[in-house]
Amino acid sequence: GAVVSQHPSRVICKSGTSVKIECRSLDFQATTMFWYRQFPKQSLMLMATSNEGSKATYEQGVEKDKFLINHASLTLSTLTVTSAHPEDSSFYICSARDRVIGADTQYFGPGTRLTVL
Amino acid sequence: GQSLEQPSEVTAVEGAIVQINCTYQTSGFYGLSWYQQHDGGAPTFLSYNALDGLEETGRFSSFLSRSDSYGYLLLQELQMKDSASYFCAVNTNAGKSTFGDGTTLTVKP
């Protein structure tokens, strides 16, 4: 399957700082990437859909000014958590979609564990 | 919106067969996917069904009935390493996926 990388894998920051997370598709071009967050023992919650060359589409209840998404190229999307607070501590996972006839597969990055002190 | 139901926990022994069911309600259904997630890791793709029937990939198979809005993941010859969470996810023609709450599978010796 396709490979998606995510960086950093783990970050600890102070409250009020901003954190940038990168998501890269390594061996294919992804016009669409997705950003999820996952709390312990819970499901993945879609935060936003990142489209190359256009604005991201945010899910209801997700603050677009707090979670800035940029999809600058076909292989890179970034999520910036601005003015992070302890309640933003979570596992953030990106995925890239490979949609061809008869298949619709998401390839996930390894995730970024964010801890805000 | 979309909603999915899957059992929260399943326990089985090594070598056994286990079936994890998933029922869903959605508009614009495109397909049903299954993912495996080990503790601390990211989800990995297992299987995808867009049409009715059974898809087999090694020890794992997935089934879909669009008319019943139902699917299942079948794991055969269970191994200890199969202990993980399994998520079904509905893919819609809007291009998004909604995940179920996950089923924690515990494989015992």
Side-chain angles (χ1 to χ4, degrees):
Chain A
V3 178
V4 176
S5 71
Q6 203 170 324
H7 177 80
S9 58
R10 188 179 297 268
V11 59
I12 301 173
C13 68
K14 293 183 179 179
S15 186
T17 60
S18 294
V19 175
K20 179 187 279 189
I21 303 169
E22 291 187 351
C23 177
R24 295 181 185 272
S25 57
L26 298 185
D27 53 0
F28 69 105
Q29 294 183 332
T31 55
T32 303
M33 291 183 173
F34 302 94
W35 287 96
Y36 296 85
R37 66 188 298 182
Q38 185 179 33
F39 293 106
K41 305 297 184 184
Q42 293 189 22
S43 186
L44 287 82
M45 299 302 297
L46 180 65
M47 299 175 65
T49 303
S50 172
N51 300 298
E52 188 267 337
S54 64
K55 291 184 179 181
T57 305
Y58 290 82
E59 294 301 298
Q60 194 171 8
V62 178
E63 299 174 58
K64 62 180 181 180
D65 294 330
K66 181 168 182 62
F67 299 100
L68 301 179
I69 292 172
N70 182 275
H71 196 148
S73 75
L74 287 172
T75 58
L76 173 64
S77 175
T78 61
L79 168 69
T80 301
V81 183
T82 62
S83 187
H85 291 284
E87 58 265 30
D88 298 323
S89 298
S90 186
F91 192 44
Y92 291 87
I93 315 171
C94 71
S95 73
R97 195 171 102 220
D98 184 10
R99 179 181 261 194
V100 297
I101 295 174
D104 189 347
T105 305
Q106 287 191 52
Y107 297 99
F108 285 87
T112 297
R113 193 161 302 280
L114 171 64
T115 303
V116 185
L117 303 176
Chain B
Q2 291 84 33
S3 69
L4 297 94
E5 284 194 21
Q6 54 181 125
S8 58
E9 294 180 345
V10 173
T11 301
V13 296
E14 267 188 302
I17 299 172
V18 73
Q19 178 174 311
I20 300 173
N21 297 322
C22 175
T23 57
Y24 59 87
Q25 289 185 324
T26 187
S27 56
F29 179 83
Y30 191 84
L32 187 72
S33 301
W34 288 91
Y35 295 87
Q36 179 193 61
Q37 186 179 31
H38 286 97
D39 263 352
T44 56
F45 171 77
L46 290 178
S47 191
Y48 173 79
N49 296 72
L51 303 175
D52 286 357
L54 191 68
E55 292 284 340
E56 298 182 69
T57 310
R59 293 188 298 116
F60 296 170
S61 304
S62 60
F63 172 83
L64 174 67
S65 169
R66 294 174 68 117
S67 59
D68 295 324
S69 297
Y70 163 76
Y72 65 73
L73 178 70
L74 191 73
L75 298 88
Q76 303 183 73
E77 301 172 20
L78 280 177
Q79 302 175 8
M80 297 295 289
K81 66 177 182 179
D82 296 330
S83 292
S85 292
Y86 292 84
F87 294 89
C88 59
V90 167
N91 304 352
T92 70
N93 53 22
K96 297 190 296 187
S97 295
T98 299
F99 284 74
D101 289 340
T103 298
T104 300
L105 170 64
T106 303
V107 181
K108 295 187 173 181

